[in-house]
Amino acid sequence: MKKFDNYSSALETLRRSKDQDLENEFVQGGIIAKFSLQFELGWKLLKELMKYEGDRVAATGSPREIIKAAYAYYDWMDEEIWLHMLRDRNDTAHIYDAELAERLVATIIDQYIPEFERMNNNIAERYADIL
């Protein structure tokens, strides 16, 4: 499945965030941009999988609706983290404060990347036959 391949490939890049110069504002901006892309790929992958499962929300759902519906399907999902990711993704275009950017980068590394990895591993296991 192409959406899963794209998600996994982008995650490989994002995983390297912790090994970068996290004090550098250009690196911070890159990590935030990669996070935004990863989130987009993630909710769209969930949408595709929910279509496969026959869920009606997948036909027209917003990212918030998809996340809430997916939480019912996937017990490994942390709905609270995904909703925080949605908020942070929406706010990234408005981050002009260096301190906010640093905090978001720390959250991406400490909370969001592990959640993306959990999703990657669980989807790979659950849908091995169609991937």
Side-chain angles (χ1 to χ4, degrees):
M1 171 185 286
K2 185 72 171 156
K3 286 193 186 311
F4 180 74
D5 294 341
N6 291 341
Y7 178 87
S8 294
S9 177
L11 183 55
E12 282 298 316
T13 302
L14 188 59
R15 280 183 182 125
R16 295 194 302 262
S17 297
K18 67 183 181 327
D19 301 325
Q20 306 306 310
D21 176 6
L22 301 178
E23 303 288 318
N24 184 303
E25 67 183 75
F26 291 102
V27 170
Q28 291 172 358
I31 291 170
I32 291 168
K34 293 292 186 185
F35 155 71
S36 293
L37 172 64
Q38 190 69 43
F39 178 83
E40 284 297 310
L41 293 170
W43 85 262
K44 289 177 181 178
L45 174 58
L46 290 170
K47 182 176 181 171
E48 188 69 25
L49 292 172
M50 289 174 53
K51 282 181 191 175
Y52 175 79
E53 297 290 351
D55 191 287
R56 291 188 336 240
V57 172
T60 59
S62 68
R64 178 177 291 282
E65 291 169 323
I66 296 297
I67 290 166
K68 289 195 160 286
Y71 179 68
Y73 283 92
Y74 307 116
D75 61 352
W76 46 263
M77 267 186 83
D78 188 323
E79 182 181 21
E80 186 176 325
I81 288 178
W82 276 91
L83 291 175
H84 283 173
M85 281 194 267
L86 174 62
R87 183 200 65 221
D88 284 344
R89 188 279 318 251
N90 290 342
D91 291 345
T92 57
H94 309 291
I95 293 182
Y96 305 109
D97 182 332
E99 189 175 308
L100 286 175
E102 286 179 23
R103 281 201 308 264
L104 178 55
V105 167
T107 300
I108 291 167
I109 291 170
D110 296 338
Q111 293 179 20
Y112 297 166
I113 292 174
E115 185 65 16
F116 289 140
E117 289 176 335
R118 187 173 16 264
M119 177 172 157
N120 191 69
N121 295 338
N122 281 283
I123 288 174
E125 183 178 320
R126 181 169 176 167
Y127 295 101
D129 59 326
I130 66 165
L131 299 176

